[in-house]
Amino acid sequence: MNELKKMLEEISELNKTHGVTQKGGKKYNTVAQRVEIFRKHLGTTYGIQTFLKHDDGKRIVMKAIVKSLEGDIIGSGYAEEIRGQGYVNKTSAMENAESSAIGRALACAFALHGGEYASANEMDTAQRNEQASNLPVSEQKGGKSTRTNQDLKEAIQRSENAKYRLSYPGNKSEHFDDIETAIESINKWLWTVETYEEKPKDQRLMAIGAFFEQNKPIMDIMRKEKPDELAEVDARVKRFEDD
């Protein structure tokens, strides 16, 4: 109870000094700040797990849960984003939805909201980025860059057209044009998780489970295209579970 009180006091003070200003002048703390405070006071007593519940190429729904080490769900939250709606969602709709869901789950579990329970999307920052995207890059960078708006649009388009999109725990995502490179990335990430002994094995297994859950649609496609390679990935995970 004391740690919960300390968390709420710290988030309240942080809101005054580092809160993100929204329309209307209200402030809230970003999800990253809240997760940092959550880990600072509770360590690994609780875990955060995310799931991709829906992705039809246009609409994304993410779910996040806060769990105790015993597996009890302490809080949960959902978030929905539309691909291409706003600057952030042009390239990072899934990550955006995941962050929002985590923010809601923390608010549900510990009242660790950012000043506005419903908001986990940095709307003010996104709005400023969208306005900035209409300027030539050289103007944004004080004339130091030679890249143009067209360069950025083409880069965004290449990313959106990538066939294989993988989302990793921690709001990291990668896009690949070919399945071989995508599988290589999965194996590299699994190796990193397997050898990261600073975290307990159950937490590493939870991260692996979250990865396969939130990437289920694209993984199902990959299993049809490269069944042998994906069977090897599954066997690798099974070996890690059994060790």
Side-chain angles (χ1 to χ4, degrees), residues 5-241:
K5 182 179 179 181
K6 290 178 183 178
M7 282 197 303
L8 295 178
E9 289 175 349
E10 184 169 346
I11 200 72
S12 177
E13 289 301 314
L14 191 64
N15 182 270
K16 298 174 184 177
T17 57
H18 293 80
V20 177
T21 302
Q22 301 180 98
K23 293 179 181 179
K26 292 184 179 180
K27 292 185 176 182
Y28 84 103
N29 298 94
T30 65
V31 174
Q33 291 170 334
R34 283 176 271 165
V35 170
E36 183 176 350
I37 290 173
F38 165 73
R39 287 302 181 198
K40 174 182 175 181
H41 290 278
L42 297 179
T44 57
T45 306
Y46 298 93
I48 300 173
Q49 192 170 3
T50 59
F51 307 90
L52 177 63
K53 305 301 290 185
H54 178 83
D55 183 4
D56 60 6
K58 295 180 180 179
R59 173 175 162 267
I60 295 172
V61 178
M62 295 289 297
K63 178 183 180 182
I65 60 174
V66 179
K67 298 174 66 174
S68 69
L69 290 180
E70 292 75 24
D72 298 323
I73 297 177
I74 310 301
S76 64
Y78 284 86
E80 178 184 35
E81 297 292 343
I82 305 300
R83 291 189 183 277
Q85 188 177 83
Y87 182 81
V88 172
N89 287 345
K90 288 179 180 177
T91 58
S92 306
M94 185 176 294
E95 296 90 330
N96 194 14
E98 184 178 45
S99 294
S100 296
I102 290 172
R104 291 168 186 261
L106 288 174
C108 177
F110 305 107
L112 196 63
H113 54 78
E116 290 295 325
Y117 182 94
S119 180
N121 178 11
E122 282 70 47
M123 294 299 296
D124 187 65
T125 301
Q127 183 184 32
R128 289 197 299 269
N129 287 343
E130 186 163 19
Q131 292 170 347
S133 72
N134 294 324
L135 300 174
V137 175
S138 59
E139 186 173 344
Q140 295 178 54
K141 300 297 184 180
K144 295 182 180 180
S145 173
T146 58
R147 295 185 68 190
T148 66
N149 236 16
Q150 185 62 32
D151 293 329
L152 290 180
K153 290 179 179 179
E154 290 176 356
I156 291 172
Q157 187 175 20
R158 286 195 298 271
S159 174
E160 291 178 341
N161 291 337
K163 186 175 181 181
Y164 305 96
R165 298 163 178 263
L166 296 173
S167 178
Y168 296 88
N171 295 336
K172 174 189 174 184
S173 65
E174 292 183 328
H175 305 156
F176 307 94
D177 293 323
D178 62 277
I179 190 170
E180 288 80 9
T181 308
I183 294 173
E184 181 181 353
S185 176
I186 293 172
N187 279 310
K188 286 182 179 179
W189 180 78
L190 286 173
W191 180 86
T192 301
V193 175
E194 292 165 358
T195 57
Y196 191 69
E197 296 182 352
E198 287 81 357
K199 291 290 185 182
K201 184 175 179 180
D202 61 341
Q203 291 188 20
R204 287 180 278 163
L205 286 171
M206 186 179 293
I208 293 174
F211 169 80
F212 282 98
E213 178 70 24
Q214 66 192 33
N215 290 288
K216 188 177 186 305
I218 191 63
M219 295 295 290
D220 288 344
I221 294 173
M222 294 170 69
R223 291 183 197 284
K224 292 179 181 179
E225 296 182 0
K226 293 286 185 178
D228 293 340
E229 287 81 350
L230 268 296
E232 291 179 3
V233 171
D234 292 336
R236 175 176 187 165
V237 173
K238 186 65 167 58
R239 286 195 300 271
F240 180 61
E241 290 176 342

